[in-house]
Amino acid sequence: MGLKDTVSMPNGSKVWIVIAFSSLAWIFSVTATGTCTFMKRAVEYSLKEDDVKHPLFHESRGVGFWGWEFADQCYSYTIGVKEPNFDSVYGAARAFTGVADAVGGIAIIGAWFTSCFPADKAKFRVLAVLLLVVSFFEMLSLILFASTLCKDASFFSYGVSENEAVPSTEDDRVTSTCSMGPGSALAATSACFYFLAGIAARLVR
C-alpha cells in the first residue's frame, strides 16, 4: 500500500499551504492582540527635569489593546479604581483586532476541514474571500497608532495623584510618539499571511 493510499487528500496537497499560512496568521494575530507591547510609546519633552516627576512620563513603555508594559511585566489600564479615557480610534482598533481573531478562527476551522473532506471550487472561493477580509481587518488594527495612546502625552495622567506634575498636550515642548513593537510586527505579518492564504485558497482546484 503506497503513501497515496494511506494519506487521503481529497482536495490536493495545495490545501496544506492554505492551512499553514492561515494557522500561523491566526497564532500571530491572537498573540498581537493579547500582548502589552503592541507598540512602544515614548514621551519626549524639553522641560526641566523637576517639571515631570512621575515615571509614567519619564520612560518608554510598551502599550497594547488590553494593558501596558513596565519592567517586562504587563499591567491593566485600570490603575486603582481609575480608568483611562480612550478615544474612538482605540475602540475601533480593538474591534478590528477582535473581528480578525474571531473570523480568522472560523476560517482556519474551514481550512482544516478541507484537508479531510471534499470541497468544490465555490467553497474555496468563499474561504479565499474570508481570508482576504480577515487580512484587511488585521491591517486595520494598526490604526491604534493614531489613537490617544500615542498622541496624548498626558494619557497616563489619570493614574497619578493630583499633586504630581504631568505633561500637558497643549505644551508644544512635549511630544508623544509610538513606534513598532513586537505586537504590531506580528499583526502586520499576520495580515500578510492571511493574504497569502487567501490567494492560495483561490488557486486550489
Side-chain angles (χ1 to χ4, degrees):
M1 184 179 290
L3 182 61
K4 288 185 179 180
D5 296 319
T6 54
V7 180
S8 175
M9 291 185 294
N11 300 298
S13 58
K14 290 181 181 178
V15 166
W16 291 103
I17 298 175
V18 179
I19 292 172
F21 275 125
S22 60
S23 297
L24 285 172
W26 187 78
I27 291 170
F28 291 164
S29 177
V30 171
T31 303
T33 301
T35 185
C36 55
T37 53
F38 190 85
M39 308 176 296
K40 283 291 185 181
R41 180 180 188 270
V43 176
E44 299 177 357
Y45 52 90
S46 54
L47 306 173
K48 294 186 298 182
E49 186 176 350
D50 292 339
D51 286 342
V52 183
K53 299 177 181 179
H54 201 280
L56 280 175
F57 307 106
H58 274 291
E59 302 166 5
S60 299
R61 66 191 64 260
V63 289
F65 292 103
W66 302 99
W68 53 282
E69 173 267 338
F70 177 69
D72 296 325
Q73 297 290 326
C74 285
Y75 298 91
S76 168
Y77 283 118
T78 302
I79 301 177
V81 295
K82 298 178 180 179
E83 297 281 350
N85 185 23
F86 291 115
D87 63 353
S88 59
V89 177
Y90 167 86
R94 196 161 77 169
F96 290 142
T97 193
V99 169
D101 291 345
V103 180
I106 294 171
I108 290 172
I109 293 172
W112 275 98
F113 266 101
T114 64
S115 69
C116 302
F117 303 101
D120 57 25
K121 197 168 185 177
K123 288 185 176 65
F124 276 104
R125 285 181 177 176
V126 171
L127 179 60
V129 169
L130 196 60
L131 289 166
L132 292 175
V133 168
V134 175
S135 173
F136 178 68
F137 275 103
E138 191 67 48
M139 285 300 295
L140 285 177
S141 71
L142 296 176
I143 66 170
L144 189 63
F145 282 91
S147 70
T148 51
L149 268 174
C150 293
K151 291 186 173 182
D152 187 355
S154 61
F155 175 80
F156 282 103
S157 61
Y158 71 96
V160 302
S161 60
E162 296 180 356
N163 61 347
E164 291 183 287
V166 298
S168 170
T169 53
E170 298 178 356
D171 194 329
D172 58 10
R173 297 173 299 170
V174 182
T175 57
S176 177
T177 59
C178 284
S179 58
M180 291 281 286
S184 52
L186 284 173
T189 304
S190 172
C192 292
F193 278 19
Y194 273 128
F195 180 81
L196 292 173
I199 298 299
R202 183 66 180 84
L203 297 176
V204 174
R205 288 189 172 272

